[in-house]
Amino acid sequence: MKEKILIIEDDGDVRKFLETELGIYFEIISEPDGLSGLQKAQSFEVDLIICDVLMPGMNGFDVTRKLKRDFETSHIPIILLTALSNDESQLEGMESGADAYITKPFSPQLLVARIFQLLNGREILKQKS
């Protein structure tokens, strides 16, 4: 069974690109903004979330903080994707609880490798508990 990945990305072109690239390996659900993405993560069982940082309304840092503070969703690995490559933004991403921070433009192969690494790490933790 394919793992489910939720993509939260306001840029339609980037969202479609991610859906196409990742759809080879995973079942993809996508949302165009932070609020709908947050609601989807809370109502559907997903294995990993890829979230843009700069979005209107609720940004990726806020989405990540809310999901990591909620017991029901705190276990879901979150990868933040952003054009913000400065140290302060990366620090804020890590402090919000993100499991990985990847800057745009990014290599699809690097993203897929990071996803598999995070999913495998979660699987090992599940087996140990």
Side-chain angles (χ1 to χ4, degrees):
M1 189 166 97
K2 286 186 174 182
E3 287 99 341
K4 286 190 198 108
I5 294 188
L6 170 61
I7 297 168
I8 307 170
E9 169 64 65
D10 64 319
D11 182 312
D13 291 338
V14 175
R15 194 169 57 248
K16 274 279 174 236
F17 175 75
L18 289 168
E19 289 169 1
T20 302
E21 290 291 316
L22 301 178
I24 298 165
Y25 308 100
F26 310 104
E27 183 179 328
I28 304 297
I29 304 165
S30 63
E31 289 296 333
D33 61 73
L35 188 56
S36 64
L38 177 67
Q39 291 167 342
K40 186 71 76 172
Q42 292 169 329
S43 60
F44 281 86
E45 191 71 32
V46 297
D47 298 297
L48 185 134
I49 297 168
I50 298 172
C51 186
D52 186 24
V53 171
L54 297 176
M55 296 182 289
M58 184 181 295
N59 70 37
F61 296 137
D62 293 335
V63 171
T64 301
R65 269 191 280 278
K66 287 182 185 304
L67 290 171
K68 291 297 185 176
R69 287 184 187 146
D70 181 344
F71 181 76
E72 295 297 319
T73 55
S74 62
H75 67 284
I76 304 169
I78 299 175
I79 297 175
L80 289 176
L81 280 184
T82 184
L84 300 174
S85 60
N86 60 48
D87 290 345
E88 294 81 25
S89 297
Q90 290 190 37
L91 182 61
E92 184 171 0
M94 292 300 128
E95 287 176 344
S96 71
D99 296 273
Y101 191 96
I102 297 179
T103 55
K104 296 175 186 175
F106 58 90
S107 153
Q109 293 85 359
L110 174 67
L111 179 59
V112 168
R114 194 71 179 104
I115 290 168
F116 277 116
Q117 180 188 34
L118 287 167
L119 291 173
N120 289 338
R122 290 289 170 202
E123 195 54 42
I124 291 167
L125 282 176
K126 271 194 231 172
Q127 291 172 5
K128 287 193 173 205
S129 58

